[in-house]
Amino acid sequence: MALPLSSSSIILSSKKLSFNVSISRKSTQKHLLLSAHFAFRPNEARSQVTARPAVRACNSAPSTYAKDLTCEHNFPPNWYVSIFGDGTKKLKSLIAMILIFMQISAPVPLSGWDFWYVSPAKAVLYSPDTKVPRTGELALRKAIPANINMKSIQTSLEDISYLLRIPQRKPYGTMEGNVKKALKIAKDEKDSILASIPADLKETGSTLYASLIDGKGGLQALLQCIKDQDPDKVSVGLASSLDTIAELELLQAPGLSFLLPQQYLKYPRLTGRGTVEFTIEKVDGSTFSPEAGGEPKKNAKIQVVIDGFSAPLTAGNFVKMVVDGAYNGAKLSFTDQAVLTDNGLDKNSGYSVPLEIMPSGQFEPLYRTTLSVQDGELPVLPLSVYGAVAMAHSEVSEDFSAPYQFFFYLYDKRNAGLGGLSFDEGQFSVFGYTTTGREILSQIKSGDIIQSAKLVEDQEFLICQVYASSVLFCIKARLS
């Protein structure tokens, strides 16, 4: 028979921590009381820490009831409890268990015992999903292989975006320190920052640098917004500064910062950034909902930035098919989680590129290998972003991406796993993000088609292709 818990108490003072538990079993004639007591003095040296065990068995009747009960429950005649603190970690665990026990047995407020309490602000900051970019723009910015000083400036400013999530009182002092740190790096390392920009782009780089320091959306202006303690202005100023930083970093980016494995040199590859514009057409007579002040239209445009810095083979194969017109007229299917193209089996175009994922903190992609998110492996280009663009798996092997079929991922945190991550995170080759027309994705229906797909903007790209003659042919062009 289980013994009911009758009382518990805990006392904290500067010299002594004590815990008393008494367990009683009452009957009309007999009463048994087992009590345990220990004392711990935290201010004494470890060698002087003492535990005073004492057990009292009280039998209120002259019978052998206590002896019988002791045997029945396997209690030894003398029950000694000794607890020794072995370091801070064990002590914290012990006290935490005591507190839980107390709250269960007597749920009363524990005044002053709040050092385990994690504030909502810290809960936000230390949430697992803060490690993963939540917008395509942020993910693309983090993926640029740029000058180390620019990355330090970027990191300082991006920390502010997390601080802005803190509810109620914002830590403006910390934000101000971050901006001042970024300003110091920018000014002290000006020569190094500008030296990383190619000679033919130096003038553009110098203009962007000046804008970053003293421009309307620069660091000085951001510092003033923080001093004014206006979170809306800080958010706008921060976005402007980060956009300028991204433009500078793209000028600095040298192309691929790693060597491709020899066996993959036969595939097309993209060594920088490109923008693809899709024109989506309704085929059932319906229209896309208009933007503010617009009219319903049968066609809508979506722009996707393709990243070759982190997924050169996947992006290169995709760009090649766009240039070849392979996606013009492609049919789309809509599901709760994605907008998917047809499998393209009738087109016979593209390569079955190996699965390609760049892990965060690494300098080159992994091939034919998925990531274990449960073990802390996260990709540079996460899938857990609304509008992420990735290749489907090959029908032959999940170690390879499909040669043609891709999808727009419709991330929804309500259907995500621990930390707000997609259950498929780290399983697909993500190679870009929807940056314009994200609101169109949810309006696409099965049967709608890609009327056209083309490369746009004035952006340099490099595609290499090995032809049957085994001659390496590279196309380098500036698109307009």
Side-chain angles (χ1 to χ4, degrees), residues 372-383:
S372 175
V373 174
Q374 292 83 357
D375 294 332
E377 294 180 336
L378 297 172
V380 171
L381 302 179
L383 182 67

Side-chain angles (χ1 to χ4, degrees), residues 105-416:
S105 61
V108 295
L110 300 177
S111 176
W113 287 73
D114 58 354
F115 46 85
W116 285 287
Y117 172 73
V118 180
S119 67
K122 288 187 177 180
V124 171
L125 290 177
Y126 292 101
S127 175
D129 63 352
T130 60
K131 299 178 182 179
V132 178
R134 288 307 181 189
T135 67
E137 289 80 5
L138 176 55
L140 290 166
R141 187 165 58 241
K142 284 191 169 185
I144 304 172
N147 177 283
I148 187 171
N149 294 311
M150 287 302 300
K151 282 301 179 185
S152 296
I153 295 171
Q154 178 184 334
T155 299
S156 292
L157 296 187
E158 284 176 347
D159 286 344
I160 296 176
S161 65
Y162 296 138
L163 296 174
L164 282 171
R165 299 181 188 178
I166 297 177
Q168 300 173 354
R169 298 183 63 181
K170 313 288 184 186
Y172 289 107
T174 304
M175 296 182 196
E176 184 176 340
N178 283 13
V179 177
K180 288 181 177 178
K181 176 183 176 182
L183 264 171
K184 186 177 187 306
I185 296 173
K187 292 179 177 179
D188 293 350
E189 303 296 337
K190 177 181 178 180
D191 293 341
S192 171
I193 291 171
L194 294 178
S196 301
I197 300 174
D200 59 330
L201 299 174
K202 273 283 196 298
E203 184 177 350
T204 302
S206 297
T207 302
L208 286 172
Y209 175 84
S211 176
L212 177 64
I213 302 298
D214 297 310
K216 184 177 180 181
L219 296 177
Q220 295 285 9
L222 176 59
L223 191 59
Q224 185 58 51
C225 292
I226 292 174
K227 290 179 178 179
D228 294 340
Q229 297 192 5
D230 187 328
D232 293 332
K233 288 184 179 179
V234 172
S235 181
V236 172
L238 178 63
S240 178
S241 295
L242 287 172
D243 285 344
T244 304
I245 287 172
E247 291 183 64
L248 270 169
E249 288 179 339
L250 284 172
L251 295 181
Q252 294 175 332
L256 293 187
S257 57
F258 54 89
L259 297 176
L260 288 169
Q262 184 69 31
Q263 65 268 33
Y264 298 141
L265 292 180
K266 65 179 181 179
Y267 296 112
R269 56 190 179 270
L270 181 69
T271 61
R273 290 272 169 86
T275 301
V276 175
E277 183 179 86
F278 295 94
T279 301
I280 311 298
E281 180 182 351
K282 290 284 188 183
V283 296
D284 61 356
S286 61
T287 59
F288 290 102
S289 298
E291 298 178 358
E295 296 181 357
K297 293 183 178 180
K298 184 180 179 180
N299 300 328
K301 296 186 183 298
I302 295 172
Q303 287 192 353
V304 174
V305 174
I306 309 301
D307 181 51
F309 296 130
S310 303
L313 300 184
T314 308
N317 184 58
F318 182 80
V319 167
K320 174 186 178 296
M321 289 189 292
V322 169
V323 171
D324 292 345
Y327 291 115
N328 297 341
K331 292 182 179 180
L332 298 172
S333 298
F334 180 86
T335 69
D336 290 339
Q337 290 186 300
V339 175
L340 186 70
T341 64
D342 56 46
N343 56 27
L345 294 178
D346 57 333
K347 299 183 183 296
N348 193 29
S349 60
Y351 288 83
S352 188
V353 176
L355 188 70
E356 182 179 41
I357 304 174
M358 173 87 81
S360 181
Q362 300 298 318
F363 298 101
E364 58 185 0
L366 296 178
Y367 291 97
R368 301 181 63 179
T369 302
T370 58
L371 301 186
S372 175
V373 174
Q374 292 83 357
D375 294 332
E377 294 180 336
L378 297 172
V380 171
L381 302 179
L383 182 67
S384 303
V385 174
Y386 190 89
V389 184
M391 297 303 295
H393 285 154
S394 168
E395 295 183 356
V396 178
S397 170
E398 292 191 354
D399 289 347
F400 288 81
S401 293
Y404 175 88
Q405 190 175 40
F406 75 95
F407 61 91
F408 298 93
Y409 189 68
L410 307 180
Y411 170 77
D412 188 342
K413 191 169 185 177
R414 295 172 298 180
N415 300 325

